[in-house]
Amino acid sequence: MRRSIAKGCVVALVAASCGLGAASAQNREGAWEVMPYVGQIRFGDAGEAEGLPNAGDVTVVDLDDDFSFGFRFGYHYTKSQMIEFSFSSAGAEGTATLFDASDPDPMTMLPRAKPTGIELDLLNVNVNYLYNFFLHHRDKFVVYVTGGIGLNNLSTFGRDIDPEIQKMLAELAGEENDFTYNYGGGLRIFGGKKAGVRFDVRQVHYRTDATGTEDFLEFQLGLTLILGGP
């Protein structure tokens, strides 16, 4: 269902931008920009939670890639520079696998139980600085680099009938807020003076209470709208 919604949003965004007619387009000083988007999140390497549920245990958390949905808005305080705020949401499924780490060789550790399914809900808020580069004399093609900071709200869920796995999930599951930093870049292709298609790629880093340092890569496709300005 989530994949069907995401594909429908992509088609609608591209169709809307193509129907706006050809005209010169600019990131104008004093203008606002808004961008609804759909994306895909690709999580980094599996995280390890040591000491869950008992000392000497290691729980390996592996999350599947999934779709994201979000909204950005920003202000162009010069033609080339802007500040931008974003809100996004994603849900992912994955597994948590319990290992006995008493074996001194981590390559020979065997799981103590079958992988257990978990679910993750992610809400992300960011503030970013963008610098634009103009590749066309009418500014129809604009590339940019960006970096910023933010906050993740993570909610983890899981359930199993095995009492030991239940204990592990009880300590792994829950809700937390984590500081993030991100960097990336993208491209705007304008189909009219005030609207176009925007492609973004962001690498996001954060640290959780259970598994420590984590990251994900997010690819975004959205409709960008330029409002106001001279």
Side-chain angles (χ1 to χ4, degrees):
M1 181 64 179
R2 289 175 58 86
R3 296 182 183 275
S4 298
I5 294 174
K7 290 179 181 178
C9 290
V10 170
V11 173
L13 290 171
V14 174
S17 64
C18 292
L20 293 169
S24 64
Q26 297 182 8
N27 289 0
R28 299 182 295 276
E29 179 177 350
W32 290 88
E33 179 175 351
V34 297
M35 174 196 171
Y37 74 84
V38 294
Q40 184 185 45
I41 288 182
R42 297 183 180 179
F43 291 93
D45 295 337
E48 294 186 359
E50 297 184 358
L52 295 183
N54 304 303
D57 291 338
V58 173
T59 298
V60 176
V61 178
D62 192 14
L63 295 173
D64 300 329
D65 301 339
D66 213 321
F67 286 103
S68 61
F69 304 87
F71 180 80
R72 299 184 180 280
F73 69 94
Y75 178 72
H76 295 261
Y77 57 91
T78 72
K79 182 176 178 179
S80 298
Q81 302 181 72
M82 66 179 294
I83 191 75
E84 186 174 67
F85 302 88
S86 65
F87 306 87
S88 64
S89 174
E93 297 180 350
T95 59
T97 308
L98 180 61
F99 291 84
D100 183 352
S102 60
D103 189 329
D105 185 356
M107 300 300 295
T108 62
M109 287 194 308
L110 297 176
R112 291 172 52 182
K114 63 179 179 63
T116 301
I118 60 172
E119 296 181 4
L120 175 74
D121 287 341
L122 185 151
L123 296 175
N124 181 251
V125 180
N126 286 306
V127 55
N128 273 56
Y129 167 81
L130 277 76
Y131 191 89
N132 300 299
F133 301 89
F134 302 93
L135 305 183
H136 187 271
H137 69 283
R138 290 188 176 181
D139 300 343
K140 293 186 69 174
F141 300 94
V142 183
V143 298
Y144 52 90
V145 293
T146 182
I149 59 174
L151 192 68
N152 272 348
N153 177 265
L154 300 175
S155 298
T156 307
F157 309 90
R159 183 177 301 174
D160 197 278
I161 60 174
D162 186 315
E164 189 170 29
I165 301 301
Q166 286 181 356
K167 182 178 179 181
M168 179 266 289
L169 290 174
E171 298 186 45
L172 182 66
E175 182 175 347
E176 63 179 278
N177 296 308
D178 303 306
F179 172 80
T180 70
Y181 68 93
N182 73 88
Y183 49 84
L187 167 69
R188 299 180 186 88
I189 302 176
F190 285 98
K193 190 174 182 179
K194 295 185 177 181
V197 176
R198 177 169 158 176
F199 306 89
D200 286 68
V201 180
R202 306 287 175 100
Q203 181 77 47
V204 181
H205 296 266
Y206 58 100
R207 183 178 180 84
T208 73
D209 294 339
T211 58
T213 301
E214 300 284 358
D215 67 274
F216 62 80
L217 187 64
E218 185 175 15
F219 299 90
Q220 305 168 2
L221 170 63
L223 175 64
T224 187
L225 304 171
I226 307 297
L227 309 174

